Amino acid sequence: MGILNKSIITKEAFKVIGLEIDWSPDNDKPSENEIAKLWESFNESYSEISSAVPMRCYGLMRFPPGWREGEPFKYMACAEVTEVPAELPGEMTAAEISRFDYAVLTYQGVIDEIKYANEYFFSEWAPKIEGFRFALPHCMEFYGEQYTSNDDPQSVFELWFPLTGKN
């Protein structure tokens, strides 16, 4: 359990469709907070996304200009799509993510321990990444084929931190 791998990748621009909320960080466990409830709603309506790329779901965090830790931001439970239809299902929204370089942490464990992966990135890895620096306006969680559930210690997901040019 814990950090399985770390890498720097380039992801080309892509589109997502999902459900989005304004979220204020709180002290609730990740498995019980408003984001967990959003995922429940998203999972119930996932089949309505006709252009979804199988096994490519994201927790997209979008931050407003000047955002500081602890302030509210937008969180979107979403699926990567091949195209955005003219009419979106239900209360879903679409977003396009630009091409970016990412520092990617592959993590194995329960979702309630996600803070340890974030702490590792910001305190251990980010300060040592040569040639790049962490850059908002977004971060992502990636849930692919190895993700099983929030409470499975064998579940694997990734945290994607956008990077920008040379230091």
Side-chain angles (χ1 to χ4, degrees):
M1 286 192 3
I3 305 295
L4 298 180
N5 190 31
K6 57 186 183 180
S7 60
I8 294 178
I9 66 163
T10 299
K11 173 116 173 104
E12 296 301 322
F14 66 105
K15 296 175 177 95
V16 295
I17 294 176
L19 296 173
E20 186 172 63
I21 58 172
D22 290 317
W23 189 69
S24 294
D26 56 31
N27 292 325
D28 292 342
K29 289 193 226 177
S31 61
E32 299 172 358
N33 67 17
E34 291 302 313
I35 291 174
K37 293 173 187 164
L38 179 70
W39 275 105
E40 287 175 20
S41 295
F42 174 76
N43 289 335
E44 289 171 4
S45 56
Y46 174 83
S47 63
E48 297 173 34
I49 305 171
S50 60
S51 58
V53 178
M55 305 305 293
R56 299 209 53 93
C57 290
Y58 297 86
L60 173 62
M61 295 157 270
R62 294 192 286 177
F63 305 95
W67 180 85
R68 298 195 188 289
E69 187 175 346
E71 293 180 342
F73 57 88
K74 293 195 177 292
Y75 185 97
M76 183 184 216
C78 53
E80 186 170 341
V81 295
T82 55
E83 64 183 9
V84 176
E87 193 170 317
L88 296 172
E91 297 180 13
M92 292 195 186
T93 187
E96 184 167 348
I97 310 303
S98 300
R99 179 185 188 277
F100 254 96
D101 293 317
Y102 291 93
V104 177
L105 283 178
T106 304
Y107 187 81
Q108 180 182 9
V110 298
I111 201 74
D112 286 338
E113 295 176 357
I114 195 170
K115 67 180 180 181
Y116 300 117
N118 281 303
E119 288 170 1
Y120 173 82
F121 174 75
F122 287 107
S123 66
E124 300 290 325
W125 189 26
K128 297 175 186 170
I129 296 174
E130 292 188 29
F132 293 96
R133 62 181 168 80
F134 171 65
L136 291 174
H138 70 277
C139 290
M140 296 185 293
E141 303 155 348
F142 172 69
Y143 301 98
E145 293 178 17
Q146 294 182 297
Y147 174 76
T148 56
S149 71
N150 282 346
D151 58 357
D152 180 2
Q154 301 305 310
S155 193
V156 176
F157 56 92
E158 296 172 350
L159 299 177
W160 294 28
F161 301 93
L163 302 172
T164 192
K166 302 286 180 186
N167 288 328

